[in-house]
Amino acid sequence: MKVLIADQINQKGIEELKEVAEVIVRTDITPEELVKDIKDFDAIIVRSRTKVTKEVIEVASNLKIIARAGVGVDNVDVQAATERGIMVVNAPESTSITVAEHTIGLILSLSRKISIADSSVKDGKWEKSQFMGMELNNKTMGIVGMGRIGSQVVIRAKAFGMDIVVYDPYITPEAASELGVEVVDLETLLKNSDVITIHVPLTPETKHLISMPEFDLMKKNTLIVNCARGGIINEDDLYEALSEGKISGAALDVFENEPPVGSSLFELDNVVLTPHIAASTSEAQRDAAIIVAKEIKKVFKGESPRNVINMPVMDSETFQIIKPYFRLAEKLGKFIIQTTQGNITELEVTYCGELAEIQKHDIITRIILQEILNPILNEPVNLVNAPAVAENRGFIITEGKRTDAKGYKNLISIEVESEGNQVSVEGFLGKEPKIVRINGYQVNVKTEGTMIIARYKDIPGIIGSIGVKLGEHNINIAKMQVGRQKPGGEAVMVLKVDQKVSKDVEEDIKSLPNVYDAVAVEL
């Protein structure tokens, strides 16, 4: 394996990678050189300088993983990587403490006017009366976004005796209770906070989240801090709010345009500005390098990395609960693709019983899709690109939950509609994965080996004629199960056999009187 280090990272990360790969350090590589040479590499590590564009990804024939030694992946075309099945990872936990500490530092600088007092003294002045500060004790801090960094800010703010209110639509009551914070809506937070700090990503929803209508809600003594992403605060409106005394002060580490050349904010004394350095500590850079190096090592060893941007994210406890179902999902996916005729148009997956209680099933659905798509496509499909590939092929994918598992503790139910037929299968995980229903007929089939699924009219002699036909082809029946809804109606037969079954055998069985369909399945 070969790893390209395209930007400067801590030596500890490089040493970690050398245990499993050939490491090439080219921190001065140009965009043109990257396009030319990326085909030789299995992994690439970048920070913010190198851009991993769609053009780069399209020629990266061996690339398995793109690692960002930091948090933001703005310089990586994640969609293009996803479509090619390339994992994109980052190191979000590496900067949590560092950014939280910088946030607190900016708040202290604002509340005690440290920055402008420092400049005043250095100018030979002694203007004590100009720098009356504000205590943080007993003040209310409002935190917008309660991810890793927001949670670390909570811990530090409590040490100053502050009350904490938070706005985050995704925080659970349990998590809020554990942190000792009050969850409120954004308007309430803006109206009641003495200090507001932003810790959300820049998305279409958060672009200019804080503009003049929001500043109008704030108290005149409010201080606002942004160490997240430029553009979340409307800087023109911020200048107006600060100039007119609508709020008391602001501190920014990030800007809509970086560097913020000619910004009107430079004119103001009640602003503290730093050059996007909240994550810039030697400890954070060391940790980021080690984290992404370990992620790459996991991929090279066939293991699952933790911080995959283009894969479903779940906590380790949920992962351990859901992991045993992966094998069942693989088997059901294999069954579906071998029994479906023509192009699939719709796929519906329903999680029943105990599985319905789990919040995130996306990774199981991806496994099912992977097993369905790989046999019919030339390009490899994996957990990263499976949903994108299915969407590109026109699949309509629906996920659902049902508390009723039809007498089982858990159940995965799949219904597929294709150009040629409709297929449904239900699987249960006990001591081992089993198929328990096929097209609505109850069976009890171990998901292994070769089997023949036949639909036929439930009248005397049909089962015998199928057995005779298999005997003519020297195929031995190991086990047999039948399922029916009423005597004399349609029935389904599942035959476990000891030999491979060719298309010719399938056609011979289907040619028998009162046999509607027959298909061989390899699990």
Side-chain angles (χ1 to χ4, degrees):
M1 297 290 186
K2 291 181 69 174
V3 181
L4 173 63
I5 311 292
D7 293 329
Q8 190 70 44
I9 67 167
N10 188 277
Q11 187 63 31
K12 293 286 187 184
I14 296 174
E15 292 170 5
E16 188 87 26
L17 282 169
K18 284 182 177 178
E19 297 176 8
V20 296
E22 179 185 352
V23 180
I24 309 297
V25 179
R26 293 176 62 184
T27 54
D28 59 351
I29 193 168
T30 66
E32 295 76 19
E33 290 171 337
L34 185 59
V35 170
K36 177 176 175 287
D37 298 338
I38 191 64
K39 66 181 183 301
D40 298 327
F41 293 94
D42 300 277
I44 180 173
I45 295 180
V46 300
R47 288 182 61 193
S48 55
R49 182 191 75 91
T50 300
K51 307 293 188 289
V52 188
T53 62
K54 184 176 183 179
E55 183 184 11
V56 172
I57 290 166
E58 284 178 344
V59 295
S61 52
N62 291 320
L63 201 61
K64 299 167 183 62
I65 180 170
I66 300 166
R68 166 70 162 93
V71 180
V73 290
D74 305 354
N75 55 323
V76 178
D77 191 326
V78 177
Q79 181 61 34
T82 300
E83 291 176 358
R84 291 294 302 271
I86 300 169
M87 293 186 190
V88 181
V89 302
N90 65 349
E93 63 266 53
S94 66
T95 59
S96 301
I97 291 174
T98 291
V99 175
E101 289 182 353
H102 194 76
T103 299
I104 296 296
L106 291 178
I107 292 169
L108 287 170
S109 184
L110 278 176
S111 64
R112 300 306 302 270
K113 297 183 170 60
I114 293 171
S115 181
I116 55 174
D118 171 73
S119 296
S120 174
V121 173
K122 288 176 178 176
D123 285 343
K125 301 173 185 177
W126 195 256
E127 303 171 305
K128 290 179 65 175
S129 61
Q130 301 296 314
F131 306 123
M132 185 65 65
M134 178 185 79
E135 281 188 0
L136 298 181
N137 185 48
N138 291 326
K139 298 300 190 297
T140 297
M141 173 180 279
I143 301 178
V144 180
M146 276 294 292
R148 291 183 176 91
I149 296 170
S151 300
Q152 291 293 335
V153 172
V154 167
I155 295 169
R156 286 150 182 79
K158 282 183 172 292
F160 286 92
M162 301 188 79
D163 297 319
I164 316 291
V165 296
V166 304
Y167 168 68
D168 190 325
Y170 305 106
I171 190 172
T172 64
E174 293 79 15
S177 175
E178 188 173 330
L179 285 165
V181 300
E182 180 185 358
V183 181
V184 297
D185 58 46
L186 183 58
E187 182 176 335
T188 301
L189 182 147
L190 297 173
K191 285 180 176 179
N192 294 289
S193 298
D194 302 291
V195 179
I196 298 170
T197 178
I198 310 293
H199 300 289
V200 295
L202 179 64
T203 66
E205 291 73 30
T206 62
K207 174 76 172 176
H208 288 176
L209 178 68
I210 308 297
S211 297
M212 192 53 70
E214 287 70 38
F215 289 122
D216 286 338
L217 294 172
M218 298 178 192
K219 298 190 286 188
K220 289 185 180 297
N221 72 316
T222 297
L223 307 175
I224 189 165
V225 177
N226 185 13
C227 289
R229 282 290 181 267
I232 297 170
I233 296 177
N234 184 319
E235 290 174 17
D236 291 336
D237 288 358
L238 174 63
Y239 173 80
E240 186 177 337
L242 290 166
S243 301
E244 296 178 1
K246 290 178 181 288
I247 63 172
S248 179
L252 304 180
D253 183 57
V254 291
F255 305 86
E256 294 193 54
N257 297 302
E258 296 186 357
V261 177
S263 172
S264 56
L265 294 171
F266 295 172
E267 305 167 9
L268 303 176
D269 286 339
N270 53 348
V271 178
V272 177
L273 308 175
T274 54
H276 205 147
I277 57 170
S280 297
T281 63
S282 57
E283 293 87 352
Q285 299 306 319
R286 176 202 64 207
D287 292 347
I290 293 171
I291 288 167
V292 295
K294 287 183 175 179
E295 295 284 64
I296 290 172
K297 285 174 69 176
K298 285 181 181 178
V299 171
F300 286 177
K301 292 177 179 179
E303 300 172 3
S304 299
R306 289 179 55 199
N307 301 311
V308 188
I309 296 297
N310 48 357
M311 281 258 291
V313 178
M314 65 183 68
D315 59 85
S316 58
E317 183 180 349
T318 303
F319 182 80
Q320 292 305 318
I321 293 171
I322 211 167
K323 186 177 179 181
Y325 295 96
F326 291 178
R327 187 158 169 252
L328 174 60
E330 290 173 1
K331 299 293 187 179
L332 295 178
K334 289 179 187 293
F335 181 91
I336 286 292
I337 193 56
Q338 293 177 75
T339 54
T340 303
Q341 299 169 6
N343 291 329
I344 293 173
T345 54
E346 294 187 34
L347 174 75
E348 182 178 340
V349 185
T350 305
Y351 298 97
C352 312
E354 292 177 350
L355 273 169
E357 300 172 8
I358 299 171
Q359 293 299 313
K360 294 186 177 182
H361 305 95
D362 190 28
I363 194 166
I364 297 182
T365 305
R366 287 173 183 246
I367 291 170
I368 294 167
L369 286 171
Q370 174 183 270
E371 297 303 324
I372 290 172
L373 292 165
N374 263 321
I376 60 175
L377 296 177
N378 292 325
E379 61 191 51
V381 179
N382 57 28
L383 296 183
V384 173
N385 66 348
V389 173
E391 184 178 342
N392 290 339
R393 289 184 61 85
F395 282 29
I396 298 172
I397 303 168
T398 306
E399 284 185 326
K401 296 181 183 180
R402 191 175 66 223
T403 54
D404 174 28
K406 301 179 182 178
Y408 298 93
K409 286 187 176 180
N410 60 74
L411 203 68
I412 299 177
S413 176
I414 305 175
E415 294 186 21
V416 170
E417 189 164 325
S418 71
E419 295 171 348
N421 65 343
Q422 292 180 323
V423 174
S424 68
V425 62
E426 296 181 354
F428 160 73
L429 180 66
K431 292 182 179 179
E432 57 189 350
K434 285 188 177 181
I435 292 173
V436 295
R437 279 187 186 82
I438 298 173
N439 293 336
Y441 297 102
Q442 190 158 353
V443 295
N444 188 9
V445 181
K446 290 184 179 180
T447 55
E448 59 184 29
T450 304
M451 62 184 72
I452 299 170
I453 317 296
R455 288 190 305 112
Y456 61 98
K457 188 173 183 179
D458 183 32
I459 58 176
I462 302 301
I463 293 174
S465 66
I466 293 174
V468 169
K469 185 61 68 176
L470 289 173
E472 291 174 3
H473 287 277
N474 202 30
I475 294 174
N476 188 56
I477 299 172
K479 289 182 181 179
M480 181 184 75
Q481 288 188 40
V482 295
R484 67 181 187 181
Q485 293 178 347
K486 63 179 182 179
E490 183 178 301
V492 65
M493 178 193 307
V494 181
L495 298 169
K496 180 76 183 301
V497 297
D498 293 334
Q499 288 80 25
K500 302 289 185 184
V501 177
S502 67
K503 288 294 180 185
D504 290 341
V505 175
E506 290 181 11
E507 293 301 322
D508 269 3
I509 295 172
K510 285 192 285 186
S511 70
L512 292 169
N514 295 305
V515 174
Y516 306 132
D517 190 28
V519 61
V521 176
E522 289 282 345
L523 296 180

